[in-house]
Amino acid sequence: MSGALGNFTHSEALSLGVELELQLVSRRDYDLTRGATDLLGAMNYDGHFGEIKLEITESMIEVSTMPQARVAGIAGDLRGLRDTLVRHCTKNNIAVCGGGTHPYHRWAERRICPGDRFDEIYQRYGYLAKQFTVFGQHIHVGCTSADDAIWLTQALAEHVPAFIALSAASPFVDGVDTFFQSARLNAVSAFPLSGQCPPLGSWLEFVAHFEFLRDCGIVRSIKDLYWDVRPKPEYGTVEIRVCDTPLDVNTATALAALAQALCRHLLRTRPPLHAERWQHVARYNKFQACRYGMEAMLSDPVRRCQEPLRERVLALFDALAEDGRELECSPWLDALRGVAEHGNGDAAWLRTRATAQGNLNDVVREAAERLMQQGGNGNGEGA
Amino acid sequence: MDKLLQFLSLPRRLWEEAQERLFFLPPFPEQIDSLALFSLLLVVGLLIGESLHARLRWPRLIGYVLAGSLFGPSLLGWITIEALGQARPIADAALGLLLLEAGRRLDLRWLASNPALLRGALADVVLSFLVIYLFASAVVGLAPAWAAATAAVTMASAPAVVLLTVEESKAQGQITERIILYTALGSAASFVLFAFVLGVVHAEFSSDWLNAVVHPLWVVVGGALIAWLVSRFALAVARRLPKRSLAQVFILVASALFAVGVARMLAVPVFLTLFLMGALLAFRDQEQTLKYTELPDGHWLLAIILFVVVGASLPWHEFTWLTGLYAIGLLGARALAKIAALYWSGGELPSAKRLLVGVGIQPLSATAVFMVYEVAGLYPEVGRSVLLLPLFAAAIMELAGPALCRAALVRAGETEAGAREKGGIG
């Protein structure tokens, strides 16, 4: 095992954890505001639902749930974290908002959070660190072995476009409609170590690859790898990192349900992987999903053809029916399936509200109200 | 000035000789054109402000006030009292726009969701008024009416200074937001007490009770009525325009200037009227019609003239060491009151940060000076001399206030420069 990587912590199979990066906006004009450090400094919170912590800039805050065996636990934690955050933010005249990008903030006005790690990132990446004020959802799925984590990292890569399209919630950047459903990932792809995990067959191969990168001076820790899907030895999980933060916690919960059911399905059926072939089309497919969402046409490097993402996602939901039942998360999957069928995800909602309001300030106000008010009862209703 | 007139006598003679043959020539200009004067004020104020900011990192406002003081009637006399009169409408417009913005920042929703803020604001208002009143009456020996007038005009922080300092330093954060909120709330309380004091001063110096009753009513009801009508008009027109459009900015500015004009016509204080208008715009704007519409950057140009005029209005020639010491004493007592109020009020903000809020709300400036002249104008034979104390307090704070406010924001790490020092801003 590599010293820099540490040992792979073994987790309960298919246990779940969710991290959400959320926007802190001023209730005066709904632009991003500097508030994370003050908020955490004054917060009286016992950690009951998980962690609330700083992210790279002062306009972001990250919440992460406790590890949970079932999606209902994730739903409860996310609602608890959301309520805690909203309560404290209200006292500071700040609103909390979901979505993958803030529709009109000016990145140059962002302030880097205090702390050696953030300062080091800023010194290393310069303005990219400020442009990294984008908001994603990371889903951790527990693995019983390091080899399973590497195998899932490879197996999930094929499904990255589905997660992108189902979570897409960032159509606006710099005050304009980008035509993308998820413009957030364009900010991530500027980083040199973003993209896909290379085709690796085992934990040992992964450690060897990491040590190669480390010896070449490219990485120092696993945190330097901004891959779409990566193993997280510290938690004993595989981490899906391509989702935009949805506009409400129910969609975030439903995406976690999809990740859990999919991992169970993959581990159960162990389909043959064609990792090297998928590597060739990964960037194209990712672009398609970011740009067109459910309307994307994906390349299939195994069958050497194109197929609509919607068809592939609906077929996937059919295949996951049994896993959903076993994991008690079918209602959440059904809600997400509705998004795939009707194309009425968060990006579409944001565009509809922008057309109705004629300005983006009110869109952010309504998005913040949506995050604050959405309840859900843990069984997928309203997701 | 005599030398200047002597120097101008030659061109005047030449001009008048030429006029005999060149019939299109106007009479020799006796006064500088107001537009030319404003331009000169802008350039001089800007140069001094910029050079102090660039060399010493002082807030630009200090430079503008110094320029006004230096060239004003009290020192060099290049800005005459007549010229000050000419510049007053522009200064009123600038103060009006800044007070409009301060009123718009009066966020009652925030106040309702955080009791500590209300506690802090009440403590600040009550303690500041009482401490200044006691100092003015017990230490300086002013009559109760003038002590109350002194307390009313000096108790609140200066909205214009605070807003411009926050804007200049690009400050963002909880200290910044609280400084703005407490300043707006303090101003609201100060304006109410100011109206009350007008009645008290009339009652003290006139046997006619009618003025003592009607004048405060005229000021409050007149200001509220103008503010209500103009804000209603602005919202009604703006509702028909795209949000955040240039047309909405125009409506906001034009309505504000209209309110300034009407307030001047009816002898209702501009600062009170425009503050009320801003507050009403914030309260009544349920559909967020003008909520996101910002004042144009051009208000900085008006602000330069405002602070040059304020600097020129300060009676430095009447300075005495005793009044100066009293003014420093008043400011010290006021500072302690504000810091103690904020420290005592508690809340989720750590005590060190609450102290910074207390430092940030120290400025005392244009509004106070204009209020003093309003009160002093009622009974000039007594008012002028008695109100030298708040004027000197304002004069000192014109220079120290922006620096204190800026220091609090920098110390809190909420300014752009503060963040850059920590490697946060490039």
Side-chain angles (χ1 to χ4, degrees), chain A residues 9-37:
Chain A
T9 308
H10 298 276
S11 294
E12 285 290 314
L14 302 173
S15 56
L16 271 179
V18 168
E19 295 167 357
L20 283 183
E21 292 156 351
L22 293 162
Q23 310 184 22
L24 297 178
V25 297
S26 156
R27 290 209 298 180
R28 188 163 49 81
D29 57 6
Y30 292 93
D31 197 355
L32 286 179
T33 189
R34 180 195 162 281
T37 317

PDB file of all heavy atoms in Angstrom, chain A residues 9-37:
ATOM      1  N   THR A   9      -9.877   1.608   3.724  1.00  0.00           N
ATOM      2  CA  THR A   9     -10.760   1.307   4.848  1.00  0.00           C
ATOM      3  C   THR A   9     -11.943   0.505   4.326  1.00  0.00           C
ATOM      4  O   THR A   9     -12.651   0.965   3.434  1.00  0.00           O
ATOM      5  CB  THR A   9     -11.285   2.616   5.468  1.00  0.00           C
ATOM      6  OG1 THR A   9     -10.178   3.455   5.741  1.00  0.00           O
ATOM      7  CG2 THR A   9     -12.084   2.357   6.730  1.00  0.00           C
ATOM      8  N   HIS A  10     -12.135  -0.666   4.871  1.00  0.00           N
ATOM      9  CA  HIS A  10     -13.250  -1.486   4.377  1.00  0.00           C
ATOM     10  C   HIS A  10     -14.558  -0.992   4.954  1.00  0.00           C
ATOM     11  O   HIS A  10     -14.663  -0.742   6.146  1.00  0.00           O
ATOM     12  CB  HIS A  10     -13.012  -2.958   4.716  1.00  0.00           C
ATOM     13  CG  HIS A  10     -11.770  -3.481   4.054  1.00  0.00           C
ATOM     14  ND1 HIS A  10     -11.752  -3.939   2.758  1.00  0.00           N
ATOM     15  CD2 HIS A  10     -10.496  -3.563   4.496  1.00  0.00           C
ATOM     16  CE1 HIS A  10     -10.517  -4.306   2.438  1.00  0.00           C
ATOM     17  NE2 HIS A  10      -9.733  -4.065   3.471  1.00  0.00           N
ATOM     18  N   SER A  11     -15.571  -0.873   4.087  1.00  0.00           N
ATOM     19  CA  SER A  11     -16.869  -0.358   4.525  1.00  0.00           C
ATOM     20  C   SER A  11     -17.916  -1.440   4.410  1.00  0.00           C
ATOM     21  O   SER A  11     -17.702  -2.474   3.770  1.00  0.00           O
ATOM     22  CB  SER A  11     -17.303   0.806   3.634  1.00  0.00           C
ATOM     23  OG  SER A  11     -16.460   1.883   3.785  1.00  0.00           O
ATOM     24  N   GLU A  12     -19.071  -1.149   4.992  1.00  0.00           N
ATOM     25  CA  GLU A  12     -20.239  -2.006   4.784  1.00  0.00           C
ATOM     26  C   GLU A  12     -20.572  -1.988   3.295  1.00  0.00           C
ATOM     27  O   GLU A  12     -20.560  -0.913   2.673  1.00  0.00           O
ATOM     28  CB  GLU A  12     -21.439  -1.448   5.550  1.00  0.00           C
ATOM     29  CG  GLU A  12     -21.378  -1.667   7.050  1.00  0.00           C
ATOM     30  CD  GLU A  12     -21.550  -3.129   7.415  1.00  0.00           C
ATOM     31  OE1 GLU A  12     -22.463  -3.773   6.867  1.00  0.00           O
ATOM     32  OE2 GLU A  12     -20.743  -3.634   8.221  1.00  0.00           O
ATOM     33  N   ALA A  13     -20.895  -3.135   2.732  1.00  0.00           N
ATOM     34  CA  ALA A  13     -21.219  -3.180   1.302  1.00  0.00           C
ATOM     35  C   ALA A  13     -22.413  -2.282   1.008  1.00  0.00           C
ATOM     36  O   ALA A  13     -23.423  -2.330   1.719  1.00  0.00           O
ATOM     37  CB  ALA A  13     -21.546  -4.612   0.908  1.00  0.00           C
ATOM     38  N   LEU A  14     -22.245  -1.425   0.001  1.00  0.00           N
ATOM     39  CA  LEU A  14     -23.320  -0.575  -0.513  1.00  0.00           C
ATOM     40  C   LEU A  14     -23.821   0.468   0.493  1.00  0.00           C
ATOM     41  O   LEU A  14     -24.908   1.014   0.328  1.00  0.00           O
ATOM     42  CB  LEU A  14     -24.506  -1.409  -1.010  1.00  0.00           C
ATOM     43  CG  LEU A  14     -24.184  -2.423  -2.120  1.00  0.00           C
ATOM     44  CD1 LEU A  14     -25.387  -3.311  -2.411  1.00  0.00           C
ATOM     45  CD2 LEU A  14     -23.740  -1.697  -3.376  1.00  0.00           C
ATOM     46  N   SER A  15     -23.030   0.718   1.539  1.00  0.00           N
ATOM     47  CA  SER A  15     -23.415   1.833   2.421  1.00  0.00           C
ATOM     48  C   SER A  15     -23.278   3.134   1.619  1.00  0.00           C
ATOM     49  O   SER A  15     -22.545   3.193   0.637  1.00  0.00           O
ATOM     50  CB  SER A  15     -22.530   1.864   3.663  1.00  0.00           C
ATOM     51  OG  SER A  15     -21.173   1.945   3.274  1.00  0.00           O
ATOM     52  N   LEU A  16     -24.017   4.135   2.051  1.00  0.00           N
ATOM     53  CA  LEU A  16     -24.110   5.362   1.245  1.00  0.00           C
ATOM     54  C   LEU A  16     -23.662   6.585   2.035  1.00  0.00           C
ATOM     55  O   LEU A  16     -23.866   6.654   3.247  1.00  0.00           O
ATOM     56  CB  LEU A  16     -25.562   5.602   0.833  1.00  0.00           C
ATOM     57  CG  LEU A  16     -26.094   5.001  -0.462  1.00  0.00           C
ATOM     58  CD1 LEU A  16     -27.569   5.368  -0.614  1.00  0.00           C
ATOM     59  CD2 LEU A  16     -25.316   5.500  -1.675  1.00  0.00           C
ATOM     60  N   GLY A  17     -23.110   7.550   1.330  1.00  0.00           N
ATOM     61  CA  GLY A  17     -22.830   8.859   1.915  1.00  0.00           C
ATOM     62  C   GLY A  17     -22.958   9.890   0.824  1.00  0.00           C
ATOM     63  O   GLY A  17     -22.637   9.610  -0.336  1.00  0.00           O
ATOM     64  N   VAL A  18     -23.459  11.069   1.158  1.00  0.00           N
ATOM     65  CA  VAL A  18     -23.648  12.111   0.143  1.00  0.00           C
ATOM     66  C   VAL A  18     -23.002  13.405   0.611  1.00  0.00           C
ATOM     67  O   VAL A  18     -23.131  13.796   1.773  1.00  0.00           O
ATOM     68  CB  VAL A  18     -25.164  12.341  -0.122  1.00  0.00           C
ATOM     69  CG1 VAL A  18     -25.392  13.605  -0.934  1.00  0.00           C
ATOM     70  CG2 VAL A  18     -25.756  11.149  -0.862  1.00  0.00           C
ATOM     71  N   GLU A  19     -22.277  14.057  -0.306  1.00  0.00           N
ATOM     72  CA  GLU A  19     -21.750  15.400  -0.053  1.00  0.00           C
ATOM     73  C   GLU A  19     -22.433  16.348  -1.018  1.00  0.00           C
ATOM     74  O   GLU A  19     -22.536  16.046  -2.212  1.00  0.00           O
ATOM     75  CB  GLU A  19     -20.239  15.449  -0.318  1.00  0.00           C
ATOM     76  CG  GLU A  19     -19.413  14.587   0.627  1.00  0.00           C
ATOM     77  CD  GLU A  19     -17.976  14.410   0.140  1.00  0.00           C
ATOM     78  OE1 GLU A  19     -17.644  14.918  -0.953  1.00  0.00           O
ATOM     79  OE2 GLU A  19     -17.212  13.743   0.837  1.00  0.00           O
ATOM     80  N   LEU A  20     -22.892  17.472  -0.487  1.00  0.00           N
ATOM     81  CA  LEU A  20     -23.519  18.490  -1.351  1.00  0.00           C
ATOM     82  C   LEU A  20     -22.791  19.809  -1.166  1.00  0.00           C
ATOM     83  O   LEU A  20     -22.600  20.262  -0.031  1.00  0.00           O
ATOM     84  CB  LEU A  20     -24.982  18.714  -0.949  1.00  0.00           C
ATOM     85  CG  LEU A  20     -26.047  17.709  -1.353  1.00  0.00           C
ATOM     86  CD1 LEU A  20     -27.407  18.217  -0.896  1.00  0.00           C
ATOM     87  CD2 LEU A  20     -26.060  17.505  -2.858  1.00  0.00           C
ATOM     88  N   GLU A  21     -22.390  20.422  -2.275  1.00  0.00           N
ATOM     89  CA  GLU A  21     -21.837  21.774  -2.201  1.00  0.00           C
ATOM     90  C   GLU A  21     -22.980  22.742  -2.483  1.00  0.00           C
ATOM     91  O   GLU A  21     -23.653  22.629  -3.512  1.00  0.00           O
ATOM     92  CB  GLU A  21     -20.721  21.946  -3.235  1.00  0.00           C
ATOM     93  CG  GLU A  21     -19.493  21.112  -2.902  1.00  0.00           C
ATOM     94  CD  GLU A  21     -18.623  20.791  -4.109  1.00  0.00           C
ATOM     95  OE1 GLU A  21     -19.050  21.074  -5.254  1.00  0.00           O
ATOM     96  OE2 GLU A  21     -17.541  20.236  -3.925  1.00  0.00           O
ATOM     97  N   LEU A  22     -23.197  23.658  -1.556  1.00  0.00           N
ATOM     98  CA  LEU A  22     -24.355  24.552  -1.670  1.00  0.00           C
ATOM     99  C   LEU A  22     -23.919  26.006  -1.819  1.00  0.00           C
ATOM    100  O   LEU A  22     -22.825  26.390  -1.395  1.00  0.00           O
ATOM    101  CB  LEU A  22     -25.246  24.394  -0.439  1.00  0.00           C
ATOM    102  CG  LEU A  22     -25.936  23.020  -0.327  1.00  0.00           C
ATOM    103  CD1 LEU A  22     -26.420  22.774   1.091  1.00  0.00           C
ATOM    104  CD2 LEU A  22     -27.083  22.907  -1.319  1.00  0.00           C
ATOM    105  N   GLN A  23     -24.794  26.792  -2.428  1.00  0.00           N
ATOM    106  CA  GLN A  23     -24.487  28.208  -2.674  1.00  0.00           C
ATOM    107  C   GLN A  23     -24.956  29.053  -1.492  1.00  0.00           C
ATOM    108  O   GLN A  23     -26.059  28.853  -0.997  1.00  0.00           O
ATOM    109  CB  GLN A  23     -25.204  28.693  -3.932  1.00  0.00           C
ATOM    110  CG  GLN A  23     -25.005  27.797  -5.128  1.00  0.00           C
ATOM    111  CD  GLN A  23     -25.655  28.353  -6.386  1.00  0.00           C
ATOM    112  OE1 GLN A  23     -25.902  29.551  -6.497  1.00  0.00           O
ATOM    113  NE2 GLN A  23     -25.929  27.488  -7.335  1.00  0.00           N
ATOM    114  N   LEU A  24     -24.125  30.016  -1.101  1.00  0.00           N
ATOM    115  CA  LEU A  24     -24.534  30.989  -0.088  1.00  0.00           C
ATOM    116  C   LEU A  24     -24.816  32.304  -0.809  1.00  0.00           C
ATOM    117  O   LEU A  24     -23.905  32.896  -1.398  1.00  0.00           O
ATOM    118  CB  LEU A  24     -23.427  31.187   0.948  1.00  0.00           C
ATOM    119  CG  LEU A  24     -23.065  29.946   1.773  1.00  0.00           C
ATOM    120  CD1 LEU A  24     -21.922  30.252   2.729  1.00  0.00           C
ATOM    121  CD2 LEU A  24     -24.277  29.429   2.537  1.00  0.00           C
ATOM    122  N   VAL A  25     -26.075  32.731  -0.804  1.00  0.00           N
ATOM    123  CA  VAL A  25     -26.425  33.946  -1.546  1.00  0.00           C
ATOM    124  C   VAL A  25     -27.009  34.988  -0.609  1.00  0.00           C
ATOM    125  O   VAL A  25     -27.623  34.668   0.411  1.00  0.00           O
ATOM    126  CB  VAL A  25     -27.422  33.652  -2.699  1.00  0.00           C
ATOM    127  CG1 VAL A  25     -26.812  32.729  -3.720  1.00  0.00           C
ATOM    128  CG2 VAL A  25     -28.724  33.072  -2.176  1.00  0.00           C
ATOM    129  N   SER A  26     -26.779  36.245  -0.975  1.00  0.00           N
ATOM    130  CA  SER A  26     -27.311  37.354  -0.188  1.00  0.00           C
ATOM    131  C   SER A  26     -28.819  37.440  -0.399  1.00  0.00           C
ATOM    132  O   SER A  26     -29.300  37.317  -1.529  1.00  0.00           O
ATOM    133  CB  SER A  26     -26.646  38.657  -0.657  1.00  0.00           C
ATOM    134  OG  SER A  26     -27.471  39.746  -0.348  1.00  0.00           O
ATOM    135  N   ARG A  27     -29.567  37.689   0.692  1.00  0.00           N
ATOM    136  CA  ARG A  27     -31.015  37.794   0.521  1.00  0.00           C
ATOM    137  C   ARG A  27     -31.411  39.164  -0.033  1.00  0.00           C
ATOM    138  O   ARG A  27     -32.579  39.426  -0.252  1.00  0.00           O
ATOM    139  CB  ARG A  27     -31.718  37.558   1.864  1.00  0.00           C
ATOM    140  CG  ARG A  27     -31.617  36.107   2.295  1.00  0.00           C
ATOM    141  CD  ARG A  27     -32.780  35.683   3.148  1.00  0.00           C
ATOM    142  NE  ARG A  27     -32.849  36.428   4.386  1.00  0.00           N
ATOM    143  CZ  ARG A  27     -33.793  36.233   5.304  1.00  0.00           C
ATOM    144  NH1 ARG A  27     -34.730  35.340   5.102  1.00  0.00           N
ATOM    145  NH2 ARG A  27     -33.794  36.933   6.421  1.00  0.00           N
ATOM    146  N   ARG A  28     -30.401  40.030  -0.236  1.00  0.00           N
ATOM    147  CA  ARG A  28     -30.699  41.355  -0.807  1.00  0.00           C
ATOM    148  C   ARG A  28     -30.801  41.285  -2.328  1.00  0.00           C
ATOM    149  O   ARG A  28     -31.759  41.736  -2.910  1.00  0.00           O
ATOM    150  CB  ARG A  28     -29.615  42.349  -0.396  1.00  0.00           C
ATOM    151  CG  ARG A  28     -29.891  43.774  -0.754  1.00  0.00           C
ATOM    152  CD  ARG A  28     -28.998  44.685   0.046  1.00  0.00           C
ATOM    153  NE  ARG A  28     -27.616  44.283   0.023  1.00  0.00           N
ATOM    154  CZ  ARG A  28     -26.784  44.556  -0.964  1.00  0.00           C
ATOM    155  NH1 ARG A  28     -27.196  45.252  -2.003  1.00  0.00           N
ATOM    156  NH2 ARG A  28     -25.522  44.167  -0.921  1.00  0.00           N
ATOM    157  N   ASP A  29     -29.801  40.666  -2.971  1.00  0.00           N
ATOM    158  CA  ASP A  29     -29.834  40.628  -4.434  1.00  0.00           C
ATOM    159  C   ASP A  29     -29.669  39.203  -4.994  1.00  0.00           C
ATOM    160  O   ASP A  29     -29.628  39.018  -6.195  1.00  0.00           O
ATOM    161  CB  ASP A  29     -28.754  41.541  -5.032  1.00  0.00           C
ATOM    162  CG  ASP A  29     -27.364  41.171  -4.551  1.00  0.00           C
ATOM    163  OD1 ASP A  29     -27.229  40.140  -3.854  1.00  0.00           O
ATOM    164  OD2 ASP A  29     -26.407  41.899  -4.851  1.00  0.00           O
ATOM    165  N   TYR A  30     -29.538  38.246  -4.101  1.00  0.00           N
ATOM    166  CA  TYR A  30     -29.408  36.826  -4.471  1.00  0.00           C
ATOM    167  C   TYR A  30     -28.160  36.524  -5.282  1.00  0.00           C
ATOM    168  O   TYR A  30     -28.082  35.509  -5.954  1.00  0.00           O
ATOM    169  CB  TYR A  30     -30.692  36.316  -5.151  1.00  0.00           C
ATOM    170  CG  TYR A  30     -31.810  36.282  -4.147  1.00  0.00           C
ATOM    171  CD1 TYR A  30     -32.671  37.357  -4.007  1.00  0.00           C
ATOM    172  CD2 TYR A  30     -31.937  35.220  -3.274  1.00  0.00           C
ATOM    173  CE1 TYR A  30     -33.650  37.373  -3.024  1.00  0.00           C
ATOM    174  CE2 TYR A  30     -32.908  35.214  -2.293  1.00  0.00           C
ATOM    175  CZ  TYR A  30     -33.759  36.290  -2.177  1.00  0.00           C
ATOM    176  OH  TYR A  30     -34.708  36.291  -1.188  1.00  0.00           O
ATOM    177  N   ASP A  31     -27.167  37.405  -5.203  1.00  0.00           N
ATOM    178  CA  ASP A  31     -25.852  37.087  -5.759  1.00  0.00           C
ATOM    179  C   ASP A  31     -25.092  36.288  -4.693  1.00  0.00           C
ATOM    180  O   ASP A  31     -25.447  36.321  -3.512  1.00  0.00           O
ATOM    181  CB  ASP A  31     -25.103  38.387  -6.090  1.00  0.00           C
ATOM    182  CG  ASP A  31     -23.926  38.142  -7.027  1.00  0.00           C
ATOM    183  OD1 ASP A  31     -23.642  36.960  -7.339  1.00  0.00           O
ATOM    184  OD2 ASP A  31     -23.296  39.122  -7.453  1.00  0.00           O
ATOM    185  N   LEU A  32     -24.045  35.586  -5.127  1.00  0.00           N
ATOM    186  CA  LEU A  32     -23.229  34.874  -4.140  1.00  0.00           C
ATOM    187  C   LEU A  32     -22.630  35.875  -3.173  1.00  0.00           C
ATOM    188  O   LEU A  32     -22.328  37.012  -3.552  1.00  0.00           O
ATOM    189  CB  LEU A  32     -22.095  34.113  -4.842  1.00  0.00           C
ATOM    190  CG  LEU A  32     -22.476  32.849  -5.617  1.00  0.00           C
ATOM    191  CD1 LEU A  32     -21.231  32.241  -6.253  1.00  0.00           C
ATOM    192  CD2 LEU A  32     -23.154  31.824  -4.722  1.00  0.00           C
ATOM    193  N   THR A  33     -22.456  35.463  -1.938  1.00  0.00           N
ATOM    194  CA  THR A  33     -21.891  36.380  -0.953  1.00  0.00           C
ATOM    195  C   THR A  33     -20.831  35.666  -0.132  1.00  0.00           C
ATOM    196  O   THR A  33     -20.769  34.430  -0.097  1.00  0.00           O
ATOM    197  CB  THR A  33     -22.999  36.937  -0.037  1.00  0.00           C
ATOM    198  OG1 THR A  33     -22.453  37.978   0.765  1.00  0.00           O
ATOM    199  CG2 THR A  33     -23.584  35.857   0.870  1.00  0.00           C
ATOM    200  N   ARG A  34     -20.005  36.479   0.534  1.00  0.00           N
ATOM    201  CA  ARG A  34     -18.954  35.911   1.384  1.00  0.00           C
ATOM    202  C   ARG A  34     -19.567  35.588   2.737  1.00  0.00           C
ATOM    203  O   ARG A  34     -19.965  36.493   3.464  1.00  0.00           O
ATOM    204  CB  ARG A  34     -17.845  36.962   1.544  1.00  0.00           C
ATOM    205  CG  ARG A  34     -16.697  36.526   2.385  1.00  0.00           C
ATOM    206  CD  ARG A  34     -15.829  37.700   2.816  1.00  0.00           C
ATOM    207  NE  ARG A  34     -15.009  37.300   3.930  1.00  0.00           N
ATOM    208  CZ  ARG A  34     -15.449  37.214   5.179  1.00  0.00           C
ATOM    209  NH1 ARG A  34     -16.673  37.528   5.489  1.00  0.00           N
ATOM    210  NH2 ARG A  34     -14.642  36.821   6.136  1.00  0.00           N
ATOM    211  N   GLY A  35     -19.674  34.307   3.085  1.00  0.00           N
ATOM    212  CA  GLY A  35     -20.368  34.022   4.333  1.00  0.00           C
ATOM    213  C   GLY A  35     -19.968  32.743   5.034  1.00  0.00           C
ATOM    214  O   GLY A  35     -20.321  32.533   6.196  1.00  0.00           O
ATOM    215  N   ALA A  36     -19.204  31.860   4.368  1.00  0.00           N
ATOM    216  CA  ALA A  36     -18.981  30.520   4.918  1.00  0.00           C
ATOM    217  C   ALA A  36     -18.236  30.549   6.248  1.00  0.00           C
ATOM    218  O   ALA A  36     -18.644  29.891   7.214  1.00  0.00           O
ATOM    219  CB  ALA A  36     -18.216  29.678   3.897  1.00  0.00           C
ATOM    220  N   THR A  37     -17.138  31.314   6.330  1.00  0.00           N
ATOM    221  CA  THR A  37     -16.338  31.308   7.559  1.00  0.00           C
ATOM    222  C   THR A  37     -17.138  31.857   8.734  1.00  0.00           C
ATOM    223  O   THR A  37     -17.142  31.277   9.825  1.00  0.00           O
ATOM    224  CB  THR A  37     -15.065  32.172   7.368  1.00  0.00           C
ATOM    225  OG1 THR A  37     -14.524  31.883   6.099  1.00  0.00           O
ATOM    226  CG2 THR A  37     -14.038  31.878   8.413  1.00  0.00           C
TER     227      THR A  37
END
